[in-house]
Amino acid sequence: MDSASYKVIEDGSCFGEIAGLPGVWANERTAEECRIVLQEVLEDWLLLKLRDNDPIPQIGNVGLNTRAA
């Protein structure tokens, strides 16, 4: 969530996204609601990537594509 960015859009709602993770975004009434929903979206996105054995982009120094032997 350290890589998340937020902005207030024209209608006054808050939009948040995590760059480099396609589809990981939220648009909510308040910044706090946006942060909560964005975290839920990220969790669901990661679960789907793991379930489907899809590669997960590295964010900063965090990489999750290593497999145990």
Side-chain angles (χ1 to χ4, degrees):
M1 294 298 294
D2 290 340
S3 299
S5 63
Y6 301 92
K7 64 181 174 182
V8 176
I9 57 178
E10 290 178 14
D11 67 0
S13 65
C14 182
F15 177 82
E17 66 182 340
I18 301 177
L21 303 183
V24 179
W25 61 272
N27 185 14
E28 301 298 325
R29 269 186 331 111
T30 68
E32 182 61 16
E33 289 174 352
C34 189
R35 186 194 63 75
I36 290 168
V37 171
L38 185 61
Q39 184 168 338
E40 292 171 355
V41 170
L42 174 61
E43 291 169 2
D44 290 344
W45 186 87
L46 285 169
L47 287 172
L48 289 172
K49 291 290 188 183
L50 292 169
R51 182 197 70 189
D52 295 342
N53 203 25
D54 290 339
I56 300 169
Q58 183 168 328
I59 300 176
N61 293 327
V62 178
L64 301 174
N65 290 310
T66 305
R67 295 190 182 270

Coordinates of all heavy atoms in Angstrom, one line a residue:
M1 N 0.8 -1.2 0.0 CA 0.0 0.0 0.0 C 0.9 1.3 0.0 O 0.3 2.3 -0.3 CB -0.9 0.0 1.2 CG -2.0 -1.1 1.2 SD -3.2 -1.1 -0.2 CE -4.0 0.4 0.2
D2 N 2.2 1.1 0.3 CA 3.1 2.2 0.2 C 3.2 2.8 -1.2 O 3.5 4.0 -1.3 CB 4.5 1.9 0.7 CG 4.5 1.6 2.2 OD1 3.6 2.1 2.9 OD2 5.4 0.9 2.6
S3 N 2.9 2.0 -2.2 CA 3.0 2.5 -3.6 C 1.7 3.1 -4.1 O 1.6 3.5 -5.3 CB 3.4 1.3 -4.5 OG 4.6 0.8 -4.1
A4 N 0.6 3.1 -3.3 CA -0.7 3.6 -3.7 C -0.6 5.1 -3.9 O 0.1 5.8 -3.1 CB -1.7 3.3 -2.7
S5 N -1.4 5.6 -4.8 CA -1.5 7.1 -5.0 C -3.0 7.4 -5.0 O -3.8 6.6 -5.5 CB -0.8 7.5 -6.3 OG -1.4 7.0 -7.4
Y6 N -3.3 8.6 -4.5 CA -4.7 9.0 -4.3 C -4.8 10.4 -4.9 O -3.9 11.2 -4.8 CB -5.1 9.0 -2.9 CG -4.9 7.7 -2.2 CD1 -3.8 7.3 -1.5 CD2 -6.0 6.7 -2.2 CE1 -3.6 6.1 -0.9 CE2 -5.8 5.5 -1.6 CZ -4.7 5.2 -1.0 OH -4.5 4.0 -0.4
K7 N -6.1 10.7 -5.4 CA -6.4 12.1 -5.8 C -7.9 12.3 -5.6 O -8.7 11.3 -5.8 CB -5.9 12.4 -7.2 CG -6.6 11.5 -8.3 CD -6.0 11.9 -9.6 CE -6.6 11.0 -10.7 NZ -6.0 11.3 -12.0
V8 N -8.2 13.5 -5.4 CA -9.6 13.9 -5.3 C -10.0 14.3 -6.7 O -9.4 15.1 -7.4 CB -9.9 15.1 -4.3 CG1 -11.3 15.5 -4.4 CG2 -9.5 14.6 -2.9
I9 N -11.1 13.7 -7.2 CA -11.6 14.0 -8.6 C -12.7 15.0 -8.6 O -13.1 15.4 -7.5 CB -11.9 12.7 -9.4 CG1 -13.0 11.9 -8.7 CG2 -10.7 11.8 -9.5 CD1 -13.4 10.7 -9.4
E10 N -13.1 15.4 -9.7 CA -14.1 16.5 -9.9 C -15.3 16.5 -9.1 O -15.8 17.5 -8.6 CB -14.4 16.7 -11.4 CG -13.3 17.2 -12.3 CD -13.7 17.3 -13.7 OE1 -14.9 17.2 -14.0 OE2 -12.8 17.4 -14.6
D11 N -15.8 15.3 -8.9 CA -17.1 15.1 -8.1 C -16.9 15.1 -6.6 O -17.8 14.9 -5.8 CB -17.9 13.9 -8.6 CG -17.2 12.6 -8.3 OD1 -16.1 12.6 -7.7 OD2 -17.8 11.5 -8.6
G12 N -15.6 15.2 -6.2 CA -15.3 15.3 -4.8 C -14.9 13.9 -4.2 O -14.5 13.8 -3.0
S13 N -15.1 12.9 -5.0 CA -14.7 11.5 -4.5 C -13.2 11.3 -4.6 O -12.5 12.1 -5.2 CB -15.5 10.5 -5.2 OG -15.1 10.4 -6.6
C14 N -12.8 10.3 -3.9 CA -11.3 10.0 -3.9 C -11.0 8.8 -4.8 O -11.7 7.7 -4.7 CB -10.9 9.7 -2.5 SG -9.1 9.3 -2.3
F15 N -10.0 8.9 -5.7 CA -9.6 7.8 -6.6 C -8.2 7.4 -6.1 O -7.4 8.2 -5.9 CB -9.5 8.3 -8.0 CG -9.0 7.3 -9.0 CD1 -9.9 6.3 -9.5 CD2 -7.7 7.3 -9.3 CE1 -9.4 5.3 -10.3 CE2 -7.2 6.3 -10.2 CZ -8.1 5.3 -10.7
G16 N -8.1 6.1 -6.0 CA -6.8 5.5 -5.6 C -6.4 4.4 -6.5 O -7.2 3.6 -7.0
E17 N -5.1 4.2 -6.7 CA -4.6 3.2 -7.6 C -3.2 2.8 -7.2 O -2.5 3.5 -6.4 CB -4.6 3.6 -9.0 CG -3.6 4.7 -9.4 CD -3.7 5.1 -10.9 OE1 -4.2 4.3 -11.7 OE2 -3.3 6.2 -11.2
I18 N -2.7 1.6 -7.6 CA -1.3 1.2 -7.4 C -0.7 1.0 -8.8 O -1.1 0.1 -9.5 CB -1.3 -0.1 -6.5 CG1 -1.9 0.2 -5.2 CG2 0.2 -0.5 -6.4 CD1 -2.0 -1.1 -4.3
A19 N 0.2 1.9 -9.1 CA 0.8 1.9 -10.4 C 1.5 0.5 -10.6 O 2.1 0.0 -9.7 CB 1.8 3.0 -10.5
G20 N 1.4 0.0 -11.8 CA 2.1 -1.2 -12.2 C 1.2 -2.4 -11.9 O 1.6 -3.6 -12.3
L21 N 0.1 -2.3 -11.3 CA -0.8 -3.4 -11.0 C -2.2 -3.1 -11.7 O -3.1 -2.5 -11.2 CB -1.1 -3.5 -9.5 CG 0.2 -3.7 -8.6 CD1 -0.2 -4.0 -7.2 CD2 1.0 -4.9 -9.2
P22 N -2.3 -3.6 -13.0 CA -3.5 -3.3 -13.7 C -4.8 -3.8 -13.0 O -4.8 -4.9 -12.6 CB -3.3 -4.1 -15.0 CG -1.8 -4.5 -15.0 CD -1.3 -4.5 -13.6
G23 N -5.7 -2.9 -13.0 CA -7.0 -3.2 -12.4 C -7.1 -3.0 -10.9 O -8.1 -3.2 -10.3
V24 N -6.0 -2.6 -10.3 CA -6.0 -2.4 -8.8 C -6.3 -0.9 -8.6 O -5.4 -0.1 -8.6 CB -4.7 -2.8 -8.1 CG1 -4.7 -2.6 -6.6 CG2 -4.5 -4.3 -8.4
W25 N -7.6 -0.5 -8.4 CA -8.0 0.8 -8.2 C -9.3 0.9 -7.4 O -10.0 -0.2 -7.3 CB -8.1 1.6 -9.5 CG -9.1 1.0 -10.4 CD1 -8.9 0.1 -11.4 CD2 -10.5 1.4 -10.5 NE1 -10.1 -0.2 -12.0 CE2 -11.1 0.6 -11.5 CE3 -11.3 2.3 -9.8 CZ2 -12.4 0.7 -11.8 CZ3 -12.7 2.4 -10.1 CH2 -13.2 1.6 -11.2
A26 N -9.6 2.0 -6.8 CA -10.8 2.2 -6.1 C -11.3 3.6 -6.3 O -10.4 4.5 -6.4 CB -10.6 1.9 -4.6
N27 N -12.6 3.9 -6.2 CA -13.1 5.2 -6.3 C -14.2 5.3 -5.2 O -15.3 4.6 -5.4 CB -13.6 5.5 -7.7 CG -14.1 6.9 -7.8 OD1 -13.9 7.8 -7.0 ND2 -14.9 7.2 -8.9
E28 N -14.0 6.0 -4.2 CA -15.0 6.1 -3.0 C -15.2 7.5 -2.6 O -14.5 8.4 -3.0 CB -14.4 5.2 -1.9 CG -14.2 3.8 -2.2 CD -15.4 3.0 -2.6 OE1 -16.5 3.3 -2.1 OE2 -15.3 2.1 -3.5
R29 N -16.2 7.6 -1.7 CA -16.7 9.0 -1.3 C -15.6 9.7 -0.5 O -15.4 10.9 -0.6 CB -17.9 8.8 -0.3 CG -19.2 8.9 -1.0 CD -20.4 8.9 0.0 NE -20.2 8.2 1.2 CZ -20.1 8.8 2.4 NH1 -20.1 10.1 2.6 NH2 -19.9 8.1 3.5
T30 N -14.9 9.0 0.4 CA -13.8 9.6 1.2 C -12.5 8.9 1.0 O -12.4 7.8 0.5 CB -14.2 9.5 2.7 OG1 -14.1 8.1 3.1 CG2 -15.6 10.0 3.0
A31 N -11.4 9.6 1.4 CA -10.1 9.0 1.3 C -10.0 7.8 2.1 O -9.3 6.8 1.7 CB -9.1 10.1 1.8
E32 N -10.5 7.7 3.3 CA -10.4 6.5 4.2 C -11.2 5.3 3.6 O -10.7 4.2 3.5 CB -11.0 6.8 5.6 CG -10.9 5.7 6.5 CD -9.5 5.2 6.8 OE1 -8.5 5.9 6.5 OE2 -9.4 4.0 7.3
E33 N -12.4 5.6 3.0 CA -13.1 4.5 2.3 C -12.3 4.0 1.1 O -12.2 2.8 0.9 CB -14.5 5.0 1.9 CG -15.4 5.2 3.0 CD -16.8 5.8 2.5 OE1 -16.8 6.2 1.3 OE2 -17.7 5.9 3.3
C34 N -11.7 4.9 0.4 CA -10.9 4.6 -0.8 C -9.7 3.7 -0.4 O -9.4 2.7 -1.0 CB -10.4 5.9 -1.5 SG -9.6 5.5 -3.1
R35 N -9.0 4.1 0.7 CA -7.9 3.3 1.2 C -8.3 1.9 1.6 O -7.7 0.9 1.2 CB -7.2 4.0 2.4 CG -6.0 3.3 2.9 CD -5.5 3.7 4.2 NE -6.5 3.4 5.3 CZ -6.7 2.2 5.8 NH1 -6.0 1.2 5.4 NH2 -7.6 2.0 6.7
I36 N -9.4 1.8 2.3 CA -9.9 0.4 2.7 C -10.3 -0.4 1.5 O -9.9 -1.6 1.4 CB -11.1 0.6 3.6 CG1 -10.7 1.2 5.0 CG2 -11.9 -0.7 3.8 CD1 -11.8 1.7 5.9
V37 N -11.0 0.1 0.6 CA -11.5 -0.6 -0.6 C -10.2 -1.0 -1.5 O -10.2 -2.1 -2.0 CB -12.5 0.2 -1.4 CG1 -12.8 -0.5 -2.8 CG2 -13.8 0.3 -0.6
L38 N -9.3 0.0 -1.6 CA -8.1 -0.3 -2.4 C -7.3 -1.5 -1.8 O -6.9 -2.4 -2.6 CB -7.2 0.9 -2.5 CG -6.0 0.8 -3.4 CD1 -6.4 0.5 -4.9 CD2 -5.2 2.0 -3.4
Q39 N -7.2 -1.6 -0.5 CA -6.6 -2.7 0.1 C -7.3 -4.0 -0.2 O -6.7 -5.0 -0.5 CB -6.4 -2.5 1.6 CG -5.6 -3.6 2.3 CD -5.2 -3.3 3.7 OE1 -5.2 -2.1 4.0 NE2 -5.0 -4.3 4.4
E40 N -8.6 -4.0 -0.1 CA -9.4 -5.2 -0.4 C -9.2 -5.6 -1.9 O -9.1 -6.8 -2.2 CB -10.9 -4.9 -0.2 CG -11.2 -4.7 1.3 CD -12.6 -4.2 1.5 OE1 -13.4 -3.9 0.6 OE2 -13.0 -4.1 2.7
V41 N -9.2 -4.6 -2.8 CA -9.0 -4.9 -4.2 C -7.6 -5.5 -4.4 O -7.5 -6.5 -5.2 CB -9.2 -3.6 -5.1 CG1 -8.7 -3.9 -6.5 CG2 -10.6 -3.2 -5.0
L42 N -6.6 -5.0 -3.8 CA -5.3 -5.6 -3.9 C -5.2 -7.0 -3.4 O -4.6 -7.9 -4.0 CB -4.3 -4.7 -3.1 CG -2.8 -5.2 -3.0 CD1 -2.2 -5.4 -4.4 CD2 -2.0 -4.3 -2.1
E43 N -5.8 -7.3 -2.2 CA -5.9 -8.6 -1.7 C -6.5 -9.6 -2.7 O -6.0 -10.7 -2.9 CB -6.6 -8.6 -0.4 CG -5.8 -7.9 0.7 CD -6.6 -7.7 2.0 OE1 -7.8 -8.1 2.1 OE2 -6.0 -7.1 2.9
D44 N -7.7 -9.2 -3.2 CA -8.4 -10.1 -4.2 C -7.6 -10.3 -5.4 O -7.5 -11.4 -6.0 CB -9.8 -9.5 -4.5 CG -10.8 -9.5 -3.4 OD1 -10.5 -10.3 -2.4 OD2 -11.8 -8.8 -3.4
W45 N -6.9 -9.2 -5.9 CA -6.1 -9.3 -7.1 C -5.0 -10.3 -6.9 O -4.7 -11.1 -7.8 CB -5.6 -7.9 -7.4 CG -4.8 -7.7 -8.7 CD1 -5.3 -7.5 -9.9 CD2 -3.4 -7.8 -8.9 NE1 -4.3 -7.4 -10.9 CE2 -3.1 -7.5 -10.2 CE3 -2.4 -8.0 -8.0 CZ2 -1.8 -7.5 -10.7 CZ3 -1.1 -8.0 -8.5 CH2 -0.8 -7.7 -9.8
L46 N -4.3 -10.2 -5.7 CA -3.2 -11.1 -5.4 C -3.7 -12.5 -5.4 O -3.0 -13.4 -5.9 CB -2.5 -10.7 -4.1 CG -1.6 -9.5 -4.2 CD1 -1.2 -9.0 -2.8 CD2 -0.4 -9.7 -5.1
L47 N -4.8 -12.8 -4.7 CA -5.4 -14.1 -4.6 C -5.6 -14.7 -6.0 O -5.4 -15.9 -6.3 CB -6.6 -14.1 -3.8 CG -6.4 -14.0 -2.3 CD1 -7.8 -13.8 -1.6 CD2 -5.6 -15.1 -1.7
L48 N -6.2 -13.9 -6.9 CA -6.5 -14.4 -8.3 C -5.2 -14.7 -9.0 O -5.1 -15.7 -9.7 CB -7.3 -13.3 -9.0 CG -8.8 -13.2 -8.6 CD1 -9.4 -12.0 -9.3 CD2 -9.5 -14.5 -8.9
K49 N -4.2 -13.8 -8.9 CA -2.9 -14.0 -9.5 C -2.3 -15.4 -9.0 O -1.8 -16.2 -9.8 CB -1.9 -12.9 -9.3 CG -2.3 -11.6 -10.0 CD -2.1 -11.8 -11.4 CE -2.2 -10.5 -12.2 NZ -2.1 -10.6 -13.6
L50 N -2.3 -15.6 -7.7 CA -1.8 -16.8 -7.2 C -2.6 -18.0 -7.6 O -2.0 -19.1 -8.0 CB -1.8 -16.7 -5.6 CG -0.8 -15.7 -5.1 CD1 -1.0 -15.5 -3.6 CD2 0.7 -16.2 -5.3
R51 N -3.9 -17.9 -7.6 CA -4.8 -19.0 -8.0 C -4.5 -19.4 -9.5 O -4.4 -20.6 -9.8 CB -6.2 -18.7 -7.9 CG -7.2 -19.8 -8.2 CD -8.6 -19.4 -8.5 NE -8.6 -18.6 -9.7 CZ -9.6 -17.9 -10.2 NH1 -10.7 -17.9 -9.4 NH2 -9.6 -17.3 -11.3
D52 N -4.4 -18.4 -10.3 CA -4.2 -18.7 -11.7 C -2.7 -18.9 -12.1 O -2.4 -19.1 -13.3 CB -4.8 -17.5 -12.5 CG -6.3 -17.4 -12.4 OD1 -6.9 -18.4 -11.9 OD2 -6.8 -16.3 -12.7
N53 N -1.8 -18.8 -11.1 CA -0.4 -19.0 -11.4 C 0.1 -18.0 -12.4 O 1.0 -18.2 -13.2 CB -0.1 -20.4 -11.9 CG 1.3 -20.8 -11.6 OD1 2.0 -20.3 -10.7 ND2 1.8 -21.8 -12.5
D54 N -0.4 -16.8 -12.3 CA 0.0 -15.6 -13.1 C 1.2 -14.9 -12.4 O 1.3 -14.9 -11.2 CB -1.1 -14.6 -13.3 CG -2.2 -15.1 -14.2 OD1 -2.0 -16.1 -15.0 OD2 -3.3 -14.6 -14.1
P55 N 2.1 -14.4 -13.2 CA 3.2 -13.6 -12.6 C 2.7 -12.3 -11.9 O 1.7 -11.7 -12.3 CB 4.1 -13.2 -13.8 CG 3.2 -13.3 -15.0 CD 2.2 -14.4 -14.7
I56 N 3.3 -12.0 -10.8 CA 3.0 -10.8 -10.0 C 4.1 -9.8 -10.2 O 5.3 -10.1 -9.9 CB 2.8 -11.2 -8.6 CG1 1.7 -12.2 -8.4 CG2 2.5 -9.9 -7.7 CD1 1.6 -12.8 -7.0
P57 N 3.8 -8.6 -10.7 CA 4.8 -7.6 -10.9 C 5.5 -7.3 -9.6 O 4.9 -7.2 -8.5 CB 4.1 -6.4 -11.4 CG 2.8 -6.9 -11.9 CD 2.5 -8.1 -11.1
Q58 N 6.8 -7.0 -9.7 CA 7.6 -6.6 -8.5 C 7.3 -5.1 -8.2 O 7.2 -4.3 -9.1 CB 9.1 -6.8 -8.8 CG 9.9 -6.4 -7.6 CD 11.4 -6.9 -7.7 OE1 11.6 -7.9 -8.3 NE2 12.3 -6.1 -7.1
I59 N 7.1 -4.8 -6.9 CA 6.9 -3.5 -6.5 C 8.0 -3.1 -5.6 O 8.1 -3.7 -4.5 CB 5.5 -3.3 -5.8 CG1 4.4 -3.7 -6.7 CG2 5.3 -1.9 -5.3 CD1 3.0 -3.7 -6.1
G60 N 8.8 -2.1 -6.0 CA 9.9 -1.7 -5.2 C 10.9 -2.9 -5.0 O 11.3 -3.5 -6.0
N61 N 11.2 -3.3 -3.8 CA 12.1 -4.4 -3.5 C 11.3 -5.7 -3.2 O 11.9 -6.7 -2.8 CB 13.0 -4.1 -2.4 CG 14.0 -3.0 -2.7 OD1 14.4 -2.9 -3.9 ND2 14.3 -2.2 -1.7
V62 N 10.0 -5.7 -3.4 CA 9.2 -6.8 -3.1 C 8.8 -7.6 -4.3 O 8.2 -7.1 -5.2 CB 7.9 -6.4 -2.4 CG1 7.0 -7.6 -2.0 CG2 8.2 -5.6 -1.1
G63 N 9.3 -8.9 -4.4 CA 8.9 -9.8 -5.5 C 8.3 -11.0 -4.9 O 8.8 -11.6 -3.9
L64 N 7.2 -11.5 -5.5 CA 6.5 -12.6 -5.0 C 6.5 -13.8 -5.9 O 5.7 -14.7 -5.7 CB 5.0 -12.2 -4.7 CG 4.8 -11.1 -3.6 CD1 3.3 -10.7 -3.5 CD2 5.4 -11.5 -2.3
N65 N 7.3 -13.8 -6.9 CA 7.3 -14.9 -7.9 C 8.2 -16.0 -7.7 O 8.3 -16.9 -8.5 CB 7.6 -14.3 -9.3 CG 6.4 -13.4 -9.8 OD1 5.3 -13.8 -9.8 ND2 6.7 -12.2 -10.2
T66 N 8.9 -16.0 -6.5 CA 9.8 -17.1 -6.2 C 9.0 -18.3 -5.7 O 8.1 -18.2 -4.9 CB 10.7 -16.7 -5.0 OG1 11.4 -15.5 -5.4 CG2 11.8 -17.7 -4.7
R67 N 9.4 -19.5 -6.2 CA 8.7 -20.7 -5.8 C 9.6 -21.5 -4.9 O 10.8 -21.6 -5.1 CB 8.4 -21.5 -7.1 CG 7.4 -20.9 -8.0 CD 6.9 -21.8 -9.0 NE 6.0 -21.2 -9.9 CZ 4.7 -21.2 -9.7 NH1 4.2 -21.8 -8.7 NH2 3.9 -20.6 -10.6
A68 N 8.9 -22.1 -3.9 CA 9.6 -23.0 -3.0 C 9.9 -24.3 -3.7 O 9.2 -24.8 -4.6 CB 8.8 -23.3 -1.8
A69 N 11.1 -24.9 -3.4 CA 11.5 -26.2 -4.0 C 10.8 -27.4 -3.4 O 10.3 -27.3 -2.3 CB 13.0 -26.4 -4.0

